[in-house]
Amino acid sequence: MTFNFLILFFTALLAGCLAYFIPRWDERYFKLVLVFAGSYLFAITVLHILPELFVESSDPTKMGFYILLGFLLQQILALLSTGVEHGHIHHPDHQHHGMQVGVWTIMIGLFLHAFLEGTLLTEDGSLAGHLHEHDEHAGHSHHHHGSNNLLFGILLHKGPEAFALVAVLMVSIKKRWVFALLVVFAFASPMGMVLSNYMYESNILGREGLNVFYGMVAGGFLHISTTIFFESSPDHRFYFNKVLISILAFGLAVLLEMLL
Ligand SMILES: [Zn+2]
Ligand SMILES: [Zn+2]
């Protein structure tokens, strides 16, 4: 738990600082990293999160409904955040809103998304870290199969997300305020994890309630990862290097899903 908290926080902070200290970043290079992280996110959603949710759910159709709801919620959050969570680097000065309003709406949209994302890492929840029956019989504690891969996928996604946030904010506000907001953002997912963990352990939130969150985050991940696919080739052209990167990401996700 402490490890997850720290690694989530520092991955966001360091990735954000990368954009903070290297203002003249190469957009093409960022796009390739983004496609890799997006493909990986899509892969763990399809390989890990969705199968587990449907297997554990007593009512799979209801679970499908939560996934759709999460997809729609992410559509709304992306309006607020201007798409920072899928690595979209818009320039707020092109917007009609006042500058400050732009920054706050971006922060609210992105914070809510990252907070929800953190709930996926609830300990003893169905997705991260509960015991397999045969492990219990074997008498030793064992992390749930693939749960480290889930964390890895979220960290991969967190990097470009933080990078894009800083790149977007740097256009409109002073550097030290950008840093302050980066720190606030870096706390969002760890806070979501701690709060959902607390609510689960004190029985405020049952397994069913937790699964509602999981389904909604999965829907959000489908939205984010597919948007990355579409935006990486806006003119419908076939970019061989991007397809190659997707194949690499899928391959690594499958491999780590089996190994971790
Ligand atoms: Zn976008
Ligand atoms: Zn995110």
Side-chain angles (χ1 to χ4, degrees):
M1 181 77 158
T2 315
F3 173 77
N4 284 1
F5 189 101
L6 292 175
I7 198 158
L8 275 170
F9 179 79
F10 282 108
T11 301
L13 196 70
L14 291 178
C17 282
L18 210 62
Y20 183 74
F21 293 118
I22 313 169
R24 291 242 157 251
W25 46 276
D26 190 336
E27 196 166 339
R28 274 176 313 167
Y29 182 67
F30 174 71
K31 284 230 162 107
L32 295 181
V33 175
L34 187 65
V35 168
F36 186 86
S39 303
Y40 205 94
L41 194 67
F42 184 76
I44 55 157
T45 306
V46 173
L47 287 171
H48 185 109
I49 306 174
L50 294 181
E52 216 150 284
L53 282 180
F54 283 115
V55 163
E56 298 224 345
S57 176
S58 52
D59 189 346
T61 308
K62 215 164 155 192
M63 186 46 69
F65 172 76
Y66 297 135
I67 293 167
L68 287 182
L69 213 60
F71 190 94
L72 289 175
L73 177 68
Q74 189 53 50
Q75 181 80 48
I76 292 163
L77 291 179
L79 282 179
L80 297 176
S81 71
T82 70
V84 165
E85 70 289 334
H86 61 253
H88 204 143
I89 299 176
H90 298 267
H91 297 286
D93 48 337
H94 289 311
Q95 291 174 350
H96 298 293
H97 307 290
M99 227 93 116
Q100 289 307 316
V101 176
V103 169
W104 288 115
T105 39
I106 287 173
M107 281 306 291
I108 290 167
L110 194 64
F111 191 93
L112 286 175
H113 152 74
F115 187 88
L116 268 177
E117 190 169 83
T119 63
L120 271 188
L121 297 167
T122 310
E123 274 180 10
D124 303 322
S126 58
L127 288 167
H130 78 157
L131 296 173
H132 260 318
E133 252 177 66
H134 59 265
D135 291 331
E136 278 177 285
H137 291 311
H140 57 87
S141 156
H142 188 269
H143 256 284
H144 178 54
H145 141 86
S147 65
N148 288 328
N149 199 21
L150 182 68
L151 175 66
F152 183 60
I154 291 176
L155 292 175
L156 264 182
H157 152 70
K158 185 76 36 206
E161 192 170 54
F163 189 96
L165 174 68
V166 171
V168 165
L169 291 184
M170 288 253 279
V171 179
S172 45
I173 55 173
K174 287 203 177 84
K175 276 187 173 182
R176 55 196 153 109
W177 287 114
V178 175
F179 188 73
L181 292 180
L182 173 65
V183 172
V184 171
F185 163 72
F187 269 118
S189 285
M191 274 171 65
M193 178 184 73
V194 168
L195 194 74
S196 62
N197 212 53
Y198 168 75
M199 285 170 78
Y200 182 67
E201 288 196 334
S202 54
N203 285 323
I204 299 170
L205 202 68
R207 174 55 60 88
E208 278 288 298
L210 208 54
N211 278 346
V212 173
F213 278 105
Y214 289 165
M216 289 184 65
V217 177
F221 279 176
L222 286 178
H223 183 277
I224 290 168
S225 54
T226 50
T227 305
I228 291 173
F229 286 133
F230 294 133
E231 289 186 354
S232 70
S233 47
D235 44 4
H236 268 256
R237 269 179 55 199
F238 184 82
Y239 292 100
F240 182 70
N241 56 353
K242 280 172 187 162
V243 174
L244 200 68
I245 283 175
S246 286
I247 293 170
L248 279 175
F250 288 172
L252 186 69
V254 171
L255 189 74
L256 292 187
E257 185 67 20
M258 292 188 295
L259 293 178
L260 288 177

